[in-house]
Amino acid sequence: MFQERVRDIMTSDVISIGPSQRLSEAVLLMAEKNISFLVVSSEENRPIGVISERDVLGLLAARKNDGALIREIMRSPILTVGSEETALSALHQLVVHNIRHLAVVDAEGYLAGVLTLTNFLEHLGFEYFVDIKGVSDIMSRDLVMMDKEAIIHDAVRAMARAQAVCVIVVEDGSPVGIFTERDAVRLSCKDIDLEKTSIRAVMKRPVLSIPKETHVLDAVSLMHKKRVRHLPVVDSDGKISGLVSQMDITRGMELKYAEFLKLLISEQERQLREVNELLEKRVKERTRELLASNKRLQEEMEGRKVVEEELRSLASRMRSLREEERRRIARDIHDDLGQLLTVFKFDLSWIGKRLNQDQNALIEKVKRSSELVETAIERVQKISSELRPTILDDLGIKAAMEWQAEEFQKRTAIRSRITFEPKEISLDNDLSTGILRIFQEALTNIGRHAEASRVNASVKITGGKLVLKVADDGKGITGKEIADSASLGLIGIRERVYPWGGNVEITGKKGSGTTLTVTVPLEAGRKKK
């Protein structure tokens, strides 16, 4: 049953009330329909609040005016559950929040039904109660008990104060009557002075009670047959020992699905391994594709001896394709795998909170799984940002370069600063990518070779041109190093600006650092496709 969907066990016939109606109307409707709560819905049939028997009880105890508007007294926001969610997740919400009902919404957020403890108990089979013996294992022992001569309003206040579902009327330690939340709601609609009438006049009697040795399954059957939600429990002498309610039984069901939780953890661990394997496989496949593509390109260039212009045009196209591929892979990894891992993390956290303190092995297993998930999330984020910083697509070149400078400073401890003139700069996608990659390559060269302690960078737009300048205070580049054909980093920078008709200038002096200046005509950048 726990793996069924909420829509399979919910009640579809919803009785709701509008926020502009009066408390008196809500109370009358609850009494007439013999229901424990009302969903407050908007004109568009979206749930916006709830008012329950317990709420009415509190209002009666506080002598609230029954002319109050529903919007003033309803509980909001309302807890909801999706109709396609599992019964297990819905049960978790009921137990954690100590409530007896949930509003069910469809995929668009419209009211689709209600889910109560009664729905759960009516759909359970015998196997869910095998591990729960007698009702004494799960019954509540903190009871509100009163003498039959007690005043009704005192009983209402006592129930509200203790958050109790009923008052048990006792005589010589034995239950002789019961007064419930529903009775309080029903009486508030009648012409009865709650502050002068004794509870004896309205209590239910004789009391439907059960012995302590009663099996939970029998208690559930009796509740269903008699249409009650709670039963007093008595000892062999007929003295009151406790009270068993639908909520007590629901909590007891958690013992049964402890084994289910173990299976759930095992399944999530398996899925996590599959995610890690999938991540490794996709990265390797994409890497092989790029390597194979580059190899084919090199063989083609050597075989056909294409002219320099064609080579550069093709290389530029490859860079664009590579960037597009990086962007797509990074988005796939960040959005799909990142979200899935985050869901796993929340599920494991939820499971950990639901385990008993004496389930040490299971707690340790959840902890190790959570650590594995956290490692996988960090790895996903690292791979995604290395493939392509999403900040470039989301916030633009200025934010991306500032982030890159900060990351470089964190990684190398080299103080880094970048300025922009004007303050806000907007470039087309290809040029933004090219400038960011040049900046990354410049920082990489500084980190590897410059032995610098500070980097100052600037981006200026002047005279229809973009000028990027990156200067460090390191050992300084030599003329031989500038002209070295094996310096792939510098060659890559020059090749990146070529499609825009740009220019690269590198200057350095021994002991005084190196300065890289890249100039790109913006008009050429706009024309390039």
Side-chain angles (χ1 to χ4, degrees):
M1 191 276 288
F2 287 130
Q3 299 187 58
E4 292 184 28
R5 301 295 174 184
V6 168
R7 55 176 159 73
D8 298 325
I9 65 173
M10 71 180 187
T11 299
S12 301
D13 186 14
V14 184
I15 300 175
S16 60
I17 194 169
S20 299
Q21 292 180 256
R22 303 285 180 181
L23 171 60
S24 57
E25 297 177 78
V27 171
L28 183 60
L29 186 58
M30 292 169 70
E32 288 178 349
K33 300 296 183 179
N34 201 33
I35 55 177
S36 60
F37 76 107
L38 289 170
V39 176
V40 184
S41 60
S42 66
E43 294 181 357
E44 297 81 18
N45 197 35
R46 295 181 185 273
I48 59 175
V50 66
I51 182 165
S52 67
E53 288 176 340
R54 182 167 294 178
D55 299 322
V56 174
L57 193 74
L59 296 171
L60 289 174
R63 297 182 176 88
K64 186 74 175 181
N65 182 3
D66 62 3
L69 295 176
I70 295 298
R71 67 164 61 95
E72 299 171 349
I73 57 175
M74 69 180 184
R75 276 185 287 124
S76 180
I78 184 175
L79 282 173
T80 62
V81 64
S83 59
E84 295 302 317
E85 292 187 39
T86 63
L88 176 62
S89 64
L91 178 64
H92 170 66
Q93 284 205 56
L94 289 172
V95 173
V96 167
H97 295 286
N98 193 30
I99 56 177
R100 293 173 289 185
H101 39 254
L102 286 169
V104 182
V105 295
D106 60 20
E108 285 74 38
Y110 294 106
L111 186 61
V114 293
L115 187 65
T116 67
L117 295 179
T118 302
N119 294 131
F120 277 100
L121 298 181
E122 288 178 349
H123 283 79
L124 290 177
F126 174 78
E127 66 273 13
Y128 290 97
F129 301 100
V130 170
D131 294 336
I132 310 173
K133 306 302 180 183
V135 292
S136 59
D137 295 332
I138 62 171
M139 69 182 184
S140 300
R141 291 177 169 82
D142 293 330
L143 310 178
V144 177
M145 296 183 289
M146 304 186 82
D147 183 85
K148 60 186 178 181
E149 299 303 327
I151 300 303
I152 295 176
H153 190 264
D154 292 338
V156 169
R157 291 176 59 189
M159 280 195 290
R161 185 167 53 250
Q163 293 287 290
V165 295
C166 67
V167 168
I168 299 177
V169 183
V170 295
E171 188 174 283
D172 296 329
S174 298
V176 295
I178 189 169
F179 181 74
T180 67
E181 291 175 324
R182 183 158 296 175
D183 295 326
V185 172
R186 177 175 51 82
L187 290 177
S188 67
C189 301
K190 297 183 177 181
D191 188 19
I192 295 177
D193 191 340
L194 303 184
E195 298 189 18
K196 294 182 179 180
T197 306
S198 69
I199 200 171
R200 177 176 55 180
V202 295
M203 67 183 185
K204 292 189 180 74
R205 53 184 170 182
V207 179
L208 181 63
S209 61
I210 55 176
K212 290 195 299 184
E213 297 77 17
T214 303
H215 194 282
V216 172
L217 180 60
D218 295 327
V220 171
S221 299
L222 184 60
M223 283 182 177
H224 181 67
K225 180 179 179 180
K226 298 296 184 178
R227 310 306 294 175
V228 296
R229 294 175 295 172
H230 20 67
L231 292 168
V233 181
V234 297
D235 61 18
S236 57
D237 297 324
K239 305 297 184 181
I240 188 71
S241 294
L243 181 76
V244 63
S245 66
Q246 290 181 336
M247 180 59 76
D248 296 321
I249 296 171
T250 304
R251 290 196 183 97
M253 286 159 53
E254 292 183 288
L255 300 174
K256 175 60 185 173
Y257 69 77
E259 183 178 349
F260 180 82
L261 293 179
K262 294 179 183 178
L263 296 175
L264 181 61
I265 292 172
S266 176
E267 175 64 15
Q268 288 179 336
E269 288 178 342
R270 183 190 65 77
Q271 292 179 359
L272 181 59
R273 287 194 298 272
E274 291 181 355
V275 168
N276 283 329
E277 291 171 2
L278 177 61
L279 176 61
E280 294 286 351
K281 181 180 178 181
R282 292 184 67 174
V283 171
K284 288 179 180 178
E285 287 177 351
R286 295 303 185 186
T287 301
R288 282 197 299 269
E289 290 174 3
L290 290 174
L291 291 174
S293 181
N294 282 334
K295 183 178 179 180
R296 287 194 300 271
L297 176 60
Q298 291 172 357
E299 292 173 350
E300 191 174 312
M301 288 189 297
E302 292 173 1
R304 296 170 59 185
K305 295 182 181 180
V306 293
V307 295
E308 183 177 343
E309 187 65 27
E310 291 174 325
L311 287 173
R312 283 175 167 166
S313 176
L314 188 56
S316 176
R317 177 59 179 164
M318 281 299 300
R319 279 193 296 272
S320 297
L321 291 174
R322 188 180 296 114
E323 288 296 336
E324 187 61 32
E325 188 71 354
R326 284 172 175 265
R327 181 188 293 111
R328 188 173 68 81
I329 295 173
R331 286 291 186 186
D332 286 349
I333 292 174
H334 182 273
D335 293 344
D336 297 339
L337 299 182
Q339 290 178 10
L340 181 58
L341 288 169
T342 300
V343 171
F344 287 162
K345 179 180 178 182
F346 287 157
D347 285 347
L348 287 170
S349 175
W350 171 78
I351 292 170
K353 293 176 180 179
R354 299 307 310 145
L355 296 175
N356 294 327
Q357 294 298 319
D358 57 352
Q359 295 176 296
N360 296 327
L362 198 54
I363 290 173
E364 185 61 26
K365 190 71 172 177
V366 171
K367 180 180 178 182
R368 288 198 301 270
S369 299
S370 297
E371 291 171 352
L372 184 59
V373 170
E374 192 64 37
T375 299
I377 290 175
E378 292 173 358
R379 189 169 184 183
V380 164
Q381 293 172 341
K382 183 175 183 295
I383 291 174
S384 178
S385 62
E386 286 178 350
L387 286 170
R388 180 177 177 87
T390 56
I391 193 173
L392 176 61
D393 299 319
D394 296 336
L395 301 179
I397 184 64
K398 181 176 183 292
M401 295 182 74
E402 288 174 340
W403 171 81
Q404 193 67 58
E406 292 173 359
E407 288 298 306
F408 177 74
Q409 179 170 305
K410 292 177 184 177
R411 188 172 64 253
T412 64
I414 299 174
R415 288 177 293 175
S416 305
R417 180 173 177 269
I418 184 168
T419 60
F420 294 84
E421 186 178 339
K423 296 293 185 182
E424 299 297 328
I425 292 178
S426 177
L427 305 176
D428 66 55
N429 186 58
D430 286 347
L431 183 55
S432 293
T433 301
I435 294 299
L436 178 62
R437 294 304 185 195
I438 291 171
F439 185 52
Q440 289 175 325
E441 189 62 44
L443 292 178
T444 299
N445 286 339
I446 291 171
R448 288 177 178 173
H449 311 297
E451 299 177 8
S453 63
R454 181 186 295 274
V455 174
N456 288 315
S458 65
V459 179
K460 294 183 179 180
I461 294 180
T462 177
K465 297 180 180 181
L466 181 145
V467 180
L468 166 65
K469 184 174 290 188
V470 183
D472 65 69
D473 63 351
K475 64 182 182 180
I477 194 170
T478 66
K480 182 180 179 180
E481 291 171 332
I482 295 174
D484 187 0
S485 61
S487 180
L488 299 179
L490 299 181
I491 293 173
I493 291 175
R494 290 190 177 97
E495 290 298 322
R496 282 192 179 276
V497 302
Y498 179 82
W500 288 282
N503 178 65
V504 178
E505 180 182 359
I506 303 172
T507 59
K509 185 177 180 182
K510 187 175 181 179
S512 299
T514 302
T515 299
L516 167 72
T517 304
V518 176
T519 305
V520 177
L522 293 180
E523 185 63 29
R526 284 192 288 270
K527 291 180 179 179
K528 180 185 176 295
K529 296 183 179 179

